Amino acid sequence: MIKIAPSALSADFGNFRNHIIEVEKAGADMLHLDVMDGNFVPNLSFGPDLVKSIRNDTKLFFDCHLMVKNPEMFIEPFVKAGADSITFHAEAVSDMVALIEKIHSYGIEAAVAINPATPASAVKEVLPYADMILIMSVVPGFGGQKFMAEVLPKAREIRAMAGGEKIKLQIDGGINKETAAYAAESGIDILVAGSAVFGGPSLKEAIDAIRNSAEK
Ligand code: DX5
Ligand code: ZN
């Protein structure tokens, strides 16, 4: 069954704790936490202290997406904040396998993200080690952008490169009740959705609509 990971970037920061508690009740399968450094991407979001501040309020799996340069500096702070998985960008790291091993050494999952312009082949070497690959379907930096359908063939390419190796595929950017269906057809396991979940009046209706579209 496909999983839905609402992106906390689109939550109401003035009412953050309650919004996250509500999204758990509304049926979120995990929580996607977008960390931006104003350097790897032209925007700032939040750091480990915010993640830590809600750790005791929810049982949701914390999927931390680090859109930062030098992600190795931030592994321990996010582990201490309660991350269950850390995703770093292939474009930001030279020794990806070493960083995956470092993340695994804390007993949590490790994932690698690729920007729309980065080919699937960039993650070939990490497929035996990573728990998940994140295919960006927008240029990272901001919520609410348009889905780039041209990235979808990368899902099948990565599956083919992985052979029998079990690896989760996640897509992030522009997912809504229309685009979720295309992502699901391409074999994606986890849909990240920010504005489509938090932007409407009902979190539950939004999550259900995305799930129904993906499972059709
Ligand atoms: C983009 C972030 C996404 C983003 C998704 O830089 O990594 O997680 O918040 O937001 P929507 O679903 O609104 O495109
Ligand atoms: Zn993200």
Side-chain angles (χ1 to χ4, degrees), residues 83-118:
D84 295 297
S85 174
I86 294 180
T87 301
F88 62 84
H89 269 261
E91 302 85 6
V93 172
S94 51
D95 192 344
M96 294 191 279
V97 173
L99 191 52
I100 289 170
E101 282 170 352
K102 176 171 174 158
I103 296 169
H104 280 162
S105 75
Y106 291 101
I108 66 165
E109 295 188 11
V112 180
I114 48 172
N115 283 339
T118 303

Side-chain angles (χ1 to χ4, degrees), residues 38-115:
N39 193 358
F40 181 74
V41 288
N43 195 8
L44 293 166
S45 60
F46 50 76
D49 289 347
L50 186 85
V51 174
K52 191 174 176 192
S53 77
I54 54 163
R55 184 60 287 185
N56 292 331
D57 298 305
T58 171
K59 291 196 165 58
L60 286 171
F61 183 96
F62 278 5
D63 166 36
C64 296
H65 176 196
L66 305 190
M67 287 161 276
V68 304
K69 282 203 177 140
N70 306 315
E72 58 282 356
M73 284 170 57
F74 300 104
I75 305 306
E76 193 166 315
F78 278 97
V79 168
K80 286 190 173 154
D84 295 297
S85 174
I86 294 180
T87 301
F88 62 84
H89 269 261
E91 302 85 6
V93 172
S94 51
D95 192 344
M96 294 191 279
V97 173
L99 191 52
I100 289 170
E101 282 170 352
K102 176 171 174 158
I103 296 169
H104 280 162
S105 75
Y106 291 101
I108 66 165
E109 295 188 11
V112 180
I114 48 172
N115 283 339

Side-chain angles (χ1 to χ4, degrees), residues 7 9-10 32 34 36 65 67 136 138-145 172-175 192-196:
S7 166
L9 187 66
S10 296
H32 186 79
D34 283 308
M36 302 179 179
H65 176 196
M67 287 161 276
M136 290 303 304
V138 296
V139 175
F142 299 90
Q145 302 183 75
D172 183 7
I175 291 292
V192 175
S195 47

Side-chain angles (χ1 to χ4, degrees), residues 3-6 21-30 60 203-204 207-208 211:
K3 291 197 165 147
I4 302 187
I21 293 170
E22 277 176 43
V23 88
E24 178 172 21
K25 286 194 193 131
D29 297 302
M30 59 178 77
L60 286 171
L203 300 176
K204 182 167 182 341
I207 292 174
D208 289 349
R211 205 185 294 283

